[in-house]
Amino acid sequence: MPLTDTRLRALKPKDKPYKVTDERGLYVEVTPTGSKLWRFRYRIGGAQKKLCIGSYPDISLKQARDAAYEARRAVASGGDPAFEKRKRKIRAEFLSAQTFEAVAREYIEQMMVQNGRADGTIVKANYFLDKLAPAIGNRPIHEIEPFEVLAPLKRLEATGKHETAKKCRSFAGRVFRYGVATTRCKSDPTSMLKGALVTPRAKHYAAILEPTELGGLLRAIDDFTGYMVTKLALQIAPHVFVRPGELRHAEWHEIDLVDGVWKIPAGKMKARRAHAVPLSKQVRGYLTDLAEMLGREGYVFPSARSSKRPMSENTLNAAFRRMGYSKEEVTAHGLRATASTFLNESGLWNPDAIERALAHGDSNVVRGIYHRGKHWDERVRMAQWWSDY
């Protein structure tokens, strides 16, 4: 006889669990504690299986019958409802553990660290994650909606950090796309936020572009009275026009003072292409002074606090401020623009050689692991001319 709500309410617990059938495989199991659990019996390939539907009265009689009907349809189509339910449960448990922060840290490790991205790029990625984590870090990545990402970005905008907000959105988008590729989420919600943020004005690094001003800067560097390692870094920086992060992460094993070349591995370069810097007589002289002071182990420009760490990223700019130069006048990164401008205006050098010296140019890594093929001889002469200048 099919069950009714009256019969269901009247069922009392016994010493052992017992079953009361409804119809077509549906039954309720009454436990010694008084719970009334809906179950559905079915067969696949001669084997009897059981689907747990839920408890009464949380699942009503009608809802249980509807669930049993859907299960019968699944069996008739060759499916296994109990197996599908277990899969859904496992996936739900898996996804609930896949928070934005967990996926982001995996992305940084798998796609950035192990792919040899530059140290500075990885530091920035962790910085962007730190900005996003308070708002969405603990949220399952597949549940995050666009407005949840927009909220912390707008908070950054409100403090005037438009460029940071833009880069945080870009970083979040890369994490979501990685989540899609690894089946942790179905879409990138940041794609809907394009146009929602203020477009920051392009800012150029402050740089000296006049000969007399450059002479004044070089004399001020020579008169610098701070930490000697910082002074030597300041003296070398205008000659080699690498990025500040590449300079401060230089290690002695990369530098050959005999052949006059500094080989920077791909992992330290912005474009992840190994790069070679020809060293003029002047630069080799400064490096020889450094080697006599510190030895030739570890970082060329170590931190004043620990030889196991490079100098901080703000050391050179802080030194310029001590020397009386504002951030609108001189930056460590702007020294690259200074060199590029003077070299191009001299008319003596192939523009492609200048671009290669700045580690710009094409991305064809087959051209030589340290780019010492095309333009190398010209770059050596150019480096010496620039130092003499």
Side-chain angles (χ1 to χ4, degrees):
M1 181 183 298
L3 287 168
T4 64
D5 281 311
T6 301
R7 283 190 65 197
L8 282 166
R9 287 193 295 269
L11 295 174
K12 303 299 181 185
K14 298 180 181 179
D15 293 340
K16 294 182 180 181
Y18 67 94
K19 304 171 184 177
V20 181
T21 61
D22 181 50
E23 59 183 4
R24 303 185 65 185
L26 180 65
Y27 66 93
V28 68
E29 181 178 308
V30 183
T31 70
T33 62
S35 296
K36 300 168 185 177
L37 309 175
W38 291 113
R39 303 285 188 255
F40 173 69
R41 271 193 305 254
Y42 61 99
R43 287 183 177 275
I44 292 182
Q48 183 168 289
K49 297 198 171 188
K50 177 175 67 176
L51 172 67
C52 300
I53 296 174
S55 62
Y56 179 86
D58 296 334
I59 303 295
S60 69
L61 175 58
K62 181 180 184 307
Q63 289 171 326
R65 286 173 175 167
D66 289 344
Y69 171 74
E70 293 299 329
R72 283 193 295 273
R73 288 185 59 189
V75 172
S77 301
D80 185 339
F83 177 68
E84 292 300 323
K85 182 179 179 182
R86 281 196 299 274
K87 280 204 310 185
R88 289 194 298 271
K89 181 180 179 182
I90 291 169
R91 178 164 178 76
E93 290 173 349
F94 169 75
L95 290 176
S96 67
Q98 304 305 308
T99 63
F100 178 84
E101 183 170 359
V103 176
R105 296 205 182 282
E106 181 183 315
Y107 167 78
I108 292 170
E109 177 62 31
Q110 298 286 333
M111 306 306 292
M112 301 182 76
V113 175
Q114 294 188 23
N115 279 341
R117 299 297 296 271
D119 291 343
T121 302
I122 294 166
V123 168
K124 287 178 182 177
N126 281 294
Y127 171 77
F128 299 145
L129 176 55
D130 289 343
K131 293 296 180 186
L132 294 165
I136 60 174
N138 291 327
R139 293 276 290 126
I141 192 169
H142 71 290
E143 294 181 0
I144 296 174
E145 297 187 43
F147 74 88
E148 296 179 78
V149 186
L150 183 61
L153 300 181
K154 282 297 185 183
R155 283 195 288 271
L156 285 169
E157 271 195 348
T159 63
K161 297 180 178 178
H162 299 132
E163 186 67 28
T164 301
K166 176 187 173 184
K167 290 181 177 180
C168 281
R169 187 198 70 80
S170 177
F171 170 75
R174 294 195 297 276
V175 173
F176 281 114
R177 290 191 292 277
Y178 175 74
V180 172
T182 54
T183 72
R184 264 79 73 86
C185 59
K186 293 184 177 180
S187 63
D188 169 19
T190 68
S191 63
M192 300 177 66
L193 302 181
K194 292 178 181 178
L197 299 176
V198 174
T199 302
R201 287 185 181 178
K203 295 175 69 175
H204 298 287
Y205 293 102
I208 285 176
L209 304 177
E210 295 296 331
T212 54
E213 293 179 8
L214 178 57
L217 174 66
L218 297 176
R219 286 190 293 275
I221 289 173
D222 287 342
D223 292 338
F224 183 72
T225 58
Y227 183 43
M228 195 60 190
V229 172
T230 302
K231 179 175 181 177
L232 284 163
L234 287 167
Q235 289 174 317
I236 291 170
H239 293 260
V240 292
F241 43 91
V242 295
R243 297 174 181 86
E246 295 156 6
L247 182 70
R248 69 188 188 89
H249 281 100
E251 296 180 70
W252 281 111
H253 69 83
E254 301 164 359
I255 291 176
D256 185 339
L257 291 178
V258 176
D259 287 343
V261 61
W262 168 21
K263 297 179 179 179
I264 309 177
K268 293 184 178 181
M269 296 298 297
K270 180 178 181 180
R272 289 185 291 166
R273 296 193 298 272
H275 181 59
V277 180
L279 304 176
S280 66
K281 290 182 292 184
Q282 289 89 334
V283 173
R284 278 181 274 179
Y286 290 133
L287 289 170
T288 299
D289 292 343
L290 258 176
E292 291 173 354
M293 286 173 50
L294 304 174
R296 297 191 182 186
E297 295 290 333
Y299 290 108
V300 177
F301 306 104
S303 165
R305 297 180 180 179
S306 171
S307 61
K308 295 183 178 180
R309 297 202 310 266
M311 66 168 56
S312 76
E313 63 178 324
N314 197 43
T315 298
L316 297 189
N317 284 333
F320 285 137
R321 306 302 161 253
R322 283 186 58 189
M323 290 155 52
Y325 287 94
S326 71
K327 63 182 180 180
E328 285 75 31
E329 294 175 298
V330 176
T331 62
H333 203 290
L335 295 173
R336 287 163 54 80
T338 298
S340 176
T341 299
F342 280 80
L343 290 168
N344 277 292
E345 289 183 351
S346 74
L348 298 173
W349 312 105
N350 186 323
D352 289 342
I354 298 171
E355 288 296 290
R356 182 60 59 86
L358 290 163
H360 293 161
D362 63 66
S363 59
N364 188 348
V365 296
V366 181
R367 290 179 182 267
I369 188 167
Y370 287 106
H371 299 314
R372 291 186 59 178
K374 193 174 181 182
H375 302 303
W376 177 254
D377 291 340
E378 183 176 6
R379 286 181 57 205
V380 172
R381 297 193 305 274
M382 184 171 68
Q384 190 57 56
W385 178 89
W386 175 240
S387 285
D388 293 341
Y389 181 89

